[in-house]
Amino acid sequence: MASGLFKKVLIANRGEIALRVICACKDLGIQTVAVYSEADRHSLPVRFADQAICIGPARSARSYLDIPSIISAAEITNVDAIHPGYGFLSENAGFAEVCRVSGIKFIGPDPEVISSMGIKERARAIMKEHGVPILPGSEGVLSSAEEAIGTANRIGYPVILKASAGGGGRGMRVCNSAEELPNLLAQAQNEAGAAFSSADVYLEKYIRAPRHIEFQLLADEHGNVEILGERECSIQRRHQKLLEESPSPALRAEVRKRVETKLKDAIKAIGYSNAGTVEFLMDEKGDLFFIEVNARIQVEHPVTEMVTGVDLVKAQIRIAAGEKLPEILGGKVERRGHAIECRINAENPENFQPSPGRITGFNLPGGIGIRVDTHAHQDGVIPPYYDSLVAKLIAHGRDRDEAIQRMKRALDLFVVEGIHTSIPLHKRILNEKDFVDGNFDTNFITRWT
Ligand code: MV4
């Protein structure tokens, strides 16, 4: 191991991703500090970390989002670095900046990069500049209804108005004609101003039935960038992904190659470092268009790990310690077979309502080609305060059919009693002809529920 590697890392997160980061640290011989809210006192990350510190009450605003509490815990335990996981403070440029001035390495991109990728209209302009395809739309932020109508008339309806500081589906308006544009623009601007740091709104061509495809990348702090293929994330409901896979059954090899080449240049030019995901929409023709950058490790990262054999969390830590990507990856990254992830949520499959509570019966599947990332266990409690993810079930096979078959077998052996879960929903998806045929878009779940 490189001599400059961290001695101790604090994990500013909870649940399965906290445990996932602890595992990566153990593999690297790094000590770990868990921070937890009062609701997570008996959780597995607390049990398996070398040290654990309570940072506040259940409510996230006073624990997992409380920057002073987390920094205090980091200083008391004398850690070298903080891994933010996903959600919570993972894309908070202010937190990354506080880490920097406190002399603690933030395991993620620099605050300046997080901040510029968080301005969607700017990220869009940067990608365009480097030849990454974007949808036709406004040049930057809209300054008037007249300008919006001019742009929309030029590119044709429908168009979509998006909050520049938004993302993940918040602050968007679809517009079908010039008549309704002024009102929708005002609504979008008001909503953006109230919900985000800025009322800026931009406009682009609306795709009615897109597929959602995203590319995983790793970039070191020396200008080396590697693209680790794509994930198909179209199976979602209300912007919550349910099932992800790699490779996408719809992406043509020639489109993949072209986009990966351009992306590599853009990411280098941005000065991006650490792990990241670049989201695209695919239109009916099979072409890809950039939408946004996620400057964090994502929930669905295991499908990429199964196909490439690269431990992405370990890579994140080594990158943050200043190591070079060619050493971390050790040669050409091959892409082998097909992987699928099912998100097992604590929710009622009838109405998708959260179903927190105590797990009274539990059996984990295993066997060839199966991986489970979870913090759940027999007699464990899924608290009501956070997201409802109970486990991620990942199946790998030589091809998509084998991955689907292994996933079905694992779902049959996966028992969670005491709470409702999305296991029955996943069984239904995997038996649907259109899913098996790879024939679906982001409206798949809406169509049959
Ligand atoms: C779009 C779109 C159609 N056309 N942009 C939603 C989340 C945000 N990241 C971008 N989103 C969309 N942007 C254009 N020009 C449709 C969506 C969209 C969507 C995208 C990905 C996955 C699920 C989605 C569900 C509804 C809408």
Side-chain angles (χ1 to χ4, degrees):
M1 197 51 56
S3 57
L5 201 61
F6 309 123
K7 286 195 175 64
K8 203 194 271 190
V9 169
L10 181 145
I11 301 108
N13 215 301
R14 64 178 301 283
E16 69 85 20
I17 193 65
L19 210 46
R20 171 72 188 84
V21 177
I22 290 171
C23 290
C25 288
K26 282 183 177 289
D27 288 354
L28 287 166
I30 297 173
Q31 297 280 299
T32 52
V33 178
V35 292
Y36 62 95
S37 75
E38 283 165 14
D40 288 329
R41 190 171 295 278
H42 304 290
S43 68
L44 292 188
V46 170
R47 175 163 167 180
F48 293 129
D50 295 295
Q51 284 174 278
I53 294 196
C54 183
I55 49 166
R59 205 154 62 78
S60 306
R62 296 190 52 203
S63 50
Y64 300 108
L65 289 171
D66 187 338
I67 295 174
S69 296
I70 292 166
I71 296 292
S72 299
E75 286 179 335
I76 290 163
T77 53
N78 198 28
V79 299
D80 306 298
I82 295 183
H83 195 301
Y86 50 69
F88 297 123
L89 298 170
S90 61
E91 291 178 281
N92 185 316
F95 179 61
E97 180 63 31
V98 172
C99 288
R100 179 195 274 166
V101 302
S102 306
I104 301 161
K105 181 72 182 184
F106 175 82
I107 302 175
D110 290 342
E112 295 77 14
V113 172
I114 296 176
S115 166
S116 87
M117 292 300 105
I119 307 168
K120 313 293 167 196
E121 154 275 314
R122 281 206 37 206
R124 188 170 179 272
I126 295 167
M127 290 297 170
K128 183 184 180 192
E129 203 180 305
H130 293 93
V132 177
I134 61 166
L135 286 160
S138 59
E139 238 172 80
V141 175
L142 294 165
S143 51
S144 70
E146 293 69 42
E147 185 196 345
I149 290 171
T151 306
N153 287 346
R154 178 169 54 79
I155 66 180
Y157 294 87
V159 297
I160 184 166
L161 297 161
K162 293 184 175 181
S164 187
R170 298 170 309 158
M172 307 191 318
R173 288 286 184 290
V174 177
C175 176
N176 291 300
S177 69
E179 292 72 59
E180 57 186 39
L181 193 41
N183 253 324
L184 290 171
L185 177 61
Q187 280 178 31
Q189 287 170 330
N190 285 335
E191 194 176 300
F196 314 118
S197 50
S198 136
D200 289 352
V201 167
Y202 63 101
L203 174 158
E204 61 187 25
K205 179 88 192 150
Y206 180 64
I207 308 198
R208 287 200 186 278
R211 297 176 77 115
H212 180 190
I213 294 174
E214 58 185 31
F215 286 81
Q216 175 69 53
L217 65 92
L218 286 173
D220 68 17
E221 297 176 353
H222 311 275
N224 302 298
V225 178
E226 180 83 21
I227 312 291
L228 296 111
E230 82 282 1
R231 295 183 289 259
E232 163 76 62
C233 302
S234 299
I235 306 293
Q236 55 86 41
R237 184 185 173 272
R238 296 194 184 169
H239 306 295
Q240 293 301 313
K241 292 167 188 164
L242 295 170
L243 179 154
E244 308 93 348
E245 57 183 307
S246 186
S248 165
L251 184 59
R252 297 196 306 275
E254 154 258 321
V255 178
R256 177 186 294 116
K257 197 170 174 190
R258 184 155 33 87
V259 168
E260 286 189 1
T261 304
K262 298 288 186 191
L263 209 46
K264 216 166 160 171
D265 291 344
I267 291 299
K268 263 183 214 177
I270 290 164
Y272 194 100
S273 64
N274 220 277
T277 297
V278 186
E279 296 188 357
F280 289 81
L281 294 182
M282 179 184 273
D283 69 2
E284 318 71 48
K285 286 194 210 147
D287 288 324
L288 291 178
F289 302 94
F290 167 81
I291 49 169
E292 51 192 79
V293 176
N294 298 321
R296 60 168 190 273
I297 192 75
Q298 289 193 270
V299 175
E300 59 272 27
H301 75 274
V303 299
T304 300
E305 295 187 323
M306 297 298 271
V307 169
T308 62
V310 175
D311 182 328
L312 291 170
V313 180
K314 218 162 100 176
Q316 283 192 289
I317 298 166
R318 294 179 65 180
I319 287 168
E323 288 189 42
K324 293 187 171 140
L325 211 44
E327 284 151 33
I328 295 169
L329 299 175
K332 188 177 185 306
V333 178
E334 305 288 347
R335 300 177 192 177
R336 225 187 98 252
H338 197 101
I340 305 176
E341 170 180 279
C342 288
R343 295 192 190 191
I344 312 301
N345 293 318
E347 66 187 22
N348 191 322
E350 306 278 308
N351 53 18
F352 296 95
Q353 286 305 105
S355 177
R358 186 175 296 275
I359 296 169
T360 55
F362 198 62
N363 183 63
L364 281 185
I368 187 163
I370 293 298
R371 163 178 173 182
V372 188
D373 279 22
T374 186
H375 62 299
H377 56 92
Q378 174 78 41
D379 300 323
V381 171
I382 303 296
Y385 314 102
Y386 314 107
D387 72 28
S388 59
L389 190 65
V390 174
K392 304 188 305 201
L393 177 58
I394 305 108
H396 183 255
R398 280 165 302 183
D399 53 28
R400 190 166 185 268
D401 287 345
E402 191 174 56
I404 290 175
Q405 206 53 43
R406 286 176 170 169
M407 181 63 86
K408 285 188 185 179
R409 175 251 298 173
L411 285 166
D412 282 342
L413 271 64
F414 204 155
V415 179
V416 183
E417 288 166 344
I419 57 172
H420 292 291
T421 75
S422 49
I423 291 172
L425 178 72
H426 285 297
K427 289 180 179 170
R428 187 173 164 198
I429 294 169
L430 292 167
N431 281 307
E432 201 74 18
K433 183 176 188 302
D434 281 340
F435 176 78
V436 175
D437 293 346
N439 176 29
F440 53 84
D441 56 51
T442 54
N443 302 315
F444 179 80
I445 297 292
T446 335
R447 270 199 280 274
W448 54 267
T449 49

